[in-house]
Amino acid sequence: MFKGVLIEKDDSGYRAALKELDDAVLMDGDTLVNVAYSTLNYKDALAISGKAPVVRKFPLIPGIDLAGTVISCASGKFNQG
């Protein structure tokens, strides 16, 4: 479990909230990182506000800027640790 902002959209509307999340909400990818620090940039703020059509797929966890420790990487681009 980890804390993250989750953006959702369904019949009841568009919403963004800080939630306790689990690995099931993560998008497909080949690298798993234990994130120590993360930031939200301008585009993330637009996505959270819902004022601009930034998000194309729901649900979404915004934020791509991070620092942490690589747990695993299937492609071999990053070393564990």
Side-chain angles (χ1 to χ4, degrees), residues 41-52:
N41 60 34
Y42 179 76
K43 193 171 181 181
D44 297 322
L46 287 175
I48 291 168
S49 73
K51 304 267 189 229

Side-chain angles (χ1 to χ4, degrees), residues 10-55:
D10 56 26
D11 293 339
S12 62
Y14 187 99
R15 62 197 169 282
L18 182 63
K19 294 187 171 191
E20 284 285 329
L21 304 170
D22 63 24
D23 292 352
V25 299
L26 297 176
M27 296 186 316
D28 290 336
D30 71 355
T31 305
L32 184 61
V33 178
N34 183 7
V35 177
Y37 302 96
S38 180
T39 63
L40 297 173
N41 60 34
Y42 179 76
K43 193 171 181 181
D44 297 322
L46 287 175
I48 291 168
S49 73
K51 304 267 189 229
V54 175
V55 181

Side-chain angles (χ1 to χ4, degrees), residues 1-8 17 19-29 32 57-62:
M1 299 293 287
F2 60 95
K3 285 185 181 181
V5 175
L6 185 65
I7 301 172
E8 300 174 284
K19 294 187 171 191
E20 284 285 329
L21 304 170
D22 63 24
D23 292 352
V25 299
L26 297 176
M27 296 186 316
D28 290 336
L32 184 61
K57 184 177 177 184
F58 295 91
L60 176 80
I61 302 170

